[in-house]
Every structure is written in C-alpha cells, then in structure tokens.
Amino acid sequence: MAAQQNRASQFAVLGAPGGRVVFLGDSITEGGLWDEWLPNVDVLNRGIGGERSADVLRRLDTAVNEPKAVFLLIGTNDVMALKPLDEIAWNVAAILAGIEQRAPGTPVVVQSVMPRGAAYREEMRALNRRYADLVAHQPEHVRYVDLWPALATADGVLNPEFTRDRLHLNGLGYRAWVEVLEPLIAPFAAPQHAVDGPPS
C-alpha cells in the first residue's frame, strides 16, 4: 500500500507530459520496460501495482494530458477483491468517459484482463465479455483487444512459460504481449529515417 501511494504521489507531482502513448493500469503495466520494448514510441508508464479500476479512475488527471493514445489494462485486482463485475465495468466506462472528457477523440485500447490460474478463469472470461460489450457501444476511436489467444493455454490459464506466479509476466510473457500491441501502436511510432549514404 505504501509503495502504491508513493508511486501515485510521484505522478501527482510530475503530472502527465503530453504527446505520449500512455500505458495505464496495475502492476502488469507498471512492470513493462516500455521504453525498451517500444524504442520508437514516446511512452508514459502510468501503471501502479495493486490498483483496481476505481483507483485508476481517481488519478486520470495524472495520466491523461493530450496523449497520442491510451492503452488500458485493469480489473484483475478487482476480481481478486471480489468486486462485482457490474461495478468493474461501470468503473471502466467511467475511465473511458474521463479520458474522452480530458482528451476528446484520443484513441483508446481497452485490453482484456489477462488469464491467470484456473480458479479465476471463468470470472476473467466473464469480465472480458463485459469489456467487449462496453467497447462495442463506444465511439470508433475506442477499441477492445483480446490478449488471451497470445497468452492463454488451450484450457484458459496463463501460459506457464510466461509467468512464475500465474499472474505477473516474465520476459517471454511481455514479448508475447508486445507482439499483440505492436500493430496497434505502430501508427504512433516516430518515423524511421533512412540513413544517408556517403556523398558521391
């Protein structure tokens, strides 16, 4: 809890630089070395470990300031805390409305909650259905992406090659996640300039 508050307080003091692709979420987002995974993209990591959807909703001002895009991943801690799915979906809808209010027309990608162990499989799937339905009723610049095909085994749990604790991702897990996101992030990457050859 103290680490959570300390990180949030830094965001409050720093504010949110504009013109970035914002990664917004909990510890799974926080743990990503986004500058290295996406070296051609100006990214802003606004993940805080342990957070739930209501926490993200409260701190939008420290994350959203004329962003190029927002990639949202939140909800697994809500499920762990036995929050009702309707409440989680309502919070995510409020987050989307808050982003739209602060930065109208900004592309937003709502990512599915990632698979975990078998005990949470059906709850996570049900939450993801809520997210997909929610996004279906949003403007075209808001989209949903399902991470399960890249991260889940055939029986719907997080691929053991991608994790040590059935929740957080290791390097292979982040690579699999980034491969899903790369086509969605490509429009926001800096142009690659060809290196000039020697003068003739």
Side-chain angles (χ1 to χ4, degrees), residues 1-196:
M1 189 67 169
Q4 220 174 310
Q5 293 171 342
N6 288 340
R7 187 168 171 86
S9 71
Q10 290 187 70
F11 293 163
V13 171
L14 289 167
R20 307 287 187 92
V21 173
V22 177
F23 284 82
L24 184 58
D26 53 33
S27 60
I28 302 172
T29 294
E30 179 183 348
L33 301 178
W34 300 109
D35 289 323
E36 296 182 59
W37 286 114
L38 304 165
N40 301 318
V41 181
D42 290 328
V43 299
L44 184 65
N45 188 337
R46 283 296 182 261
I48 297 182
E51 284 210 332
R52 303 170 189 166
S53 55
D55 300 313
V56 170
L57 179 60
R58 281 192 292 268
R59 62 180 178 91
L60 284 180
D61 285 336
T62 68
V64 178
N65 174 29
E66 299 182 354
K68 289 182 179 178
V70 178
F71 285 75
L72 175 66
L73 176 64
I74 198 68
T76 196
N77 292 322
D78 294 75
V79 173
M80 285 286 292
L82 305 178
K83 296 295 183 181
L85 297 186
D86 285 345
E87 178 182 326
I88 305 168
W90 188 95
N91 286 338
V92 170
I95 291 168
L96 295 178
I99 294 170
E100 184 67 16
Q101 181 182 18
R102 290 166 175 80
T106 296
V108 179
V109 176
V110 178
Q111 302 169 82
S112 68
V113 174
M114 294 182 178
R116 296 185 60 160
Y120 299 100
R121 178 176 50 217
E122 298 312 315
E123 196 81 357
M124 298 298 183
R125 282 175 167 164
L127 180 57
N128 286 335
R129 288 193 294 270
R130 301 288 183 98
Y131 285 176
D133 182 65
L134 170 63
V135 170
H137 294 88
Q138 296 289 318
E140 288 187 1
H141 58 269
V142 180
R143 62 185 299 178
Y144 172 78
V145 62
D146 184 5
L147 302 176
W148 282 50
L151 299 177
T153 63
D155 58 353
V157 301
L158 183 58
N159 188 327
E161 294 182 1
F162 295 162
T163 184
R164 296 184 65 184
D165 62 2
R166 293 183 290 182
L167 169 60
H168 298 96
L169 300 178
N170 60 22
L172 293 177
Y174 276 101
R175 184 172 68 184
W177 182 13
V178 168
E179 287 173 354
V180 176
L181 298 184
E182 280 177 335
L184 304 174
I185 292 175
F188 312 110
Q192 296 297 292
H193 298 291
V195 177
D196 294 331

